[in-house]
Amino acid sequence: MTDTPLIDGLGRRIDYLRMSVTDRCDFRCVYCMAEDMVFLPRQQILGLEELARLARLFVSQGVRKIRLTGGEPLVRRGVVELCQEIAGQPGLRELVMTTNGSQLTRLARPLADAGVKRLNISLDSLDAARFKAITRTGDLSQVLAGVDAACDAGFDSVKLNVVVMKGRNADEVPDLVDYAVQRGLDISFIEEMPLGHVGRSRGESFCSSDEVRELISQRYNLIDSAENTGGPARYVRLEGHPGSRIGFISPHSHNFCSTCNRVRMTAEGRLLLCLGHENSIDMRALVRRHPTTDEPLLKALQAALQRKPARHEFASNGDVQVLRFMNASGG
Ligand code: SAM
Ligand code: SF4
């Protein structure tokens, strides 16, 4: 533990790290990747021991929550052992993961046993053909079986994530809420962010959280809630259905940067200070240059935090300002 927690130049305390454990994925979601993605050569990716060392370092500096993401974290070989190693760090409150669900029939139980506390599972459609069209390669039945496996595996919570796009899945919003309610799961609806050129204009399919809310209110009575889970989601509850919360993640329509408590590490070890900016520090170079002493890494980290931007600057027309793809950023 530390007496000098990570405080950025604007006084925001950083206690949440999102780590991308791979840029690879078995899906090619239309909002996240181009169809013909080129992935990083393996030697450019942080090794499992390097990931564990960096996680340990951040926890020693007051990080209390780590989310493993990607790419698809569950296609990284050795990820369960990595989870076990990170979850065991004294001082860490929770290790959580975001996954596309495709490997969960096999891995849900081992992950829970390894100490992963909560899972976010992406699920953009309940229609097999649409699901295939959105993910390009995904098999809906495999993911639905994965959600069931996760519900049975003993996590503290399982939550669903939906990126809403007009003309693709916006009309399914109420059905996705039904699906979550029937299982007593929380579900969050995400506005599409302009990360990377994905081969289509995002502006025309953009669906704001206010529009999503309107779609849900055609089937449910929404009750505003002041609940805050420390992240960017704003929550509402549904009258008569206490088991589920509806979250809205609205980087465009509701800016949440002033309370930002997080930094992100890409799969190649670039520490991103803000999802909406390109500036970063190369932690991989530091880790490899200083295999046995943490001091230079800590110095670089403290200095970088003083440069954490005040806010992202995504344009509301969906134009790309950040050339990184989401899979490289650690969504
Ligand atoms: N592969 C895992 C998954 O899909 O859940 C984890 C990585 S993915 C990059 C993390 C989250 O980012 C997913 O919920 C995904 O839907 C979301 N995401 C990806 N690209 C996005 C974009 N351009 N705008 C908003 N959300 C996006
Ligand atoms: Fe893969 Fe997740 Fe990106 Fe979809 S959103 S392509 S599942 S990393």
Side-chain angles (χ1 to χ4, degrees):
M1 299 243 206
T2 175
D3 5 89
T4 53
L6 299 172
I7 308 278
D8 78 3
L10 298 168
R12 293 172 295 190
R13 181 171 177 161
I14 307 304
D15 58 7
Y16 178 16
L17 171 67
R18 298 170 75 107
M19 296 185 99
S20 172
V21 300
T22 176
D23 64 331
R24 290 164 196 251
C25 186
D26 49 343
F27 291 3
R28 297 284 183 280
C29 299
V30 292
Y31 45 74
C32 179
M33 294 193 183
E35 203 157 6
D36 52 347
M37 288 295 284
V38 179
F39 296 107
L40 294 165
R42 273 185 213 288
Q43 64 278 16
Q44 286 190 23
I45 298 284
L46 291 174
L48 293 175
E49 288 189 0
E50 292 170 333
L51 285 163
R53 178 177 172 205
L54 285 167
R56 256 195 319 275
L57 188 86
F58 275 90
V59 174
S60 78
Q61 298 303 297
V63 161
R64 294 289 164 260
K65 174 175 166 182
I66 294 181
R67 177 175 300 278
L68 299 188
T69 175
E72 173 46 42
L74 297 183
V75 302
R76 175 91 197 234
R77 220 172 287 154
V79 71
V80 173
E81 292 73 15
L82 177 68
C83 288
Q84 196 164 18
E85 166 73 24
I86 296 177
Q89 291 307 309
L92 184 72
R93 202 170 49 226
E94 54 176 9
L95 175 65
V96 301
M97 181 180 282
T98 303
T99 170
N100 66 21
S102 69
Q103 312 294 315
L104 284 175
T105 48
R106 186 170 54 89
L107 290 179
R109 181 83 59 173
L111 288 171
D113 291 346
V116 175
K117 290 276 186 260
R118 297 190 286 119
L119 279 190
N120 285 0
I121 306 174
S122 298
L123 179 65
D124 295 328
S125 175
L126 294 167
D127 175 278
R130 280 180 168 200
F131 187 83
K132 175 77 86 192
I134 293 172
T135 59
R136 293 200 183 102
T137 58
D139 174 357
L140 176 67
S141 61
Q142 199 182 345
V143 171
L144 295 181
V147 174
D148 289 341
C151 290
D152 291 341
F155 294 103
D156 288 356
S157 88
V158 174
K159 206 188 85 179
L160 303 174
N161 277 343
V162 184
V163 175
V164 187
M165 292 160 287
K166 284 183 184 154
R168 286 206 185 255
N169 64 349
D171 58 331
E172 278 192 71
V173 163
D175 291 348
L176 284 157
V177 174
D178 286 351
Y179 176 87
V181 164
Q182 282 154 14
R183 287 160 185 76
L185 305 179
D186 288 355
I187 183 166
S188 284
F189 294 97
I190 307 173
E191 289 177 355
E192 186 178 356
M193 287 179 267
L195 294 174
H197 288 285
V198 288
R200 52 175 252 278
S201 163
R202 298 172 193 264
E204 59 206 39
S205 57
F206 179 74
C207 187
S208 75
S209 291
D210 289 344
E211 291 172 289
V212 172
R213 195 186 157 110
E214 179 56 36
L215 288 166
I216 301 171
S217 63
Q218 289 167 12
R219 196 170 297 175
Y220 290 92
N221 281 333
L222 303 184
I223 309 164
D224 280 320
S225 154
E227 283 163 273
N228 183 333
T229 55
R234 294 167 299 124
Y235 284 96
V236 299
R237 286 195 177 265
L238 303 173
E239 192 176 270
H241 303 285
S244 297
R245 288 178 308 177
I246 313 293
F248 298 102
I249 301 180
S250 326
H252 286 285
S253 51
H254 293 86
N255 188 280
F256 41 70
C257 302
S258 64
T259 55
C260 183
N261 64 342
R262 64 198 58 197
V263 288
R264 292 177 160 79
M265 177 92 66
T266 71
E268 52 186 334
R270 278 200 297 144
L271 183 72
L272 303 174
L273 300 167
C274 170
L275 190 55
H277 286 259
E278 297 281 8
N279 56 359
S280 64
I281 56 169
D282 184 357
M283 296 301 281
R284 185 189 65 198
L286 290 164
V287 161
R288 292 185 182 172
R289 201 177 308 137
H290 305 282
T292 52
T293 159
D294 288 344
E295 201 60 29
L297 283 67
L298 291 174
K299 262 201 184 132
L301 183 57
Q302 291 286 359
L305 278 186
Q306 301 315 307
R307 304 197 314 267
K308 182 169 159 65
R311 53 168 296 155
H312 72 65
E313 273 137 30
F314 296 140
S316 56
N317 62 4
D319 282 354
V320 174
Q321 288 135 313
V322 174
L323 298 176
R324 247 181 296 112
F325 286 92
M326 189 63 150
N327 71 306
S329 302

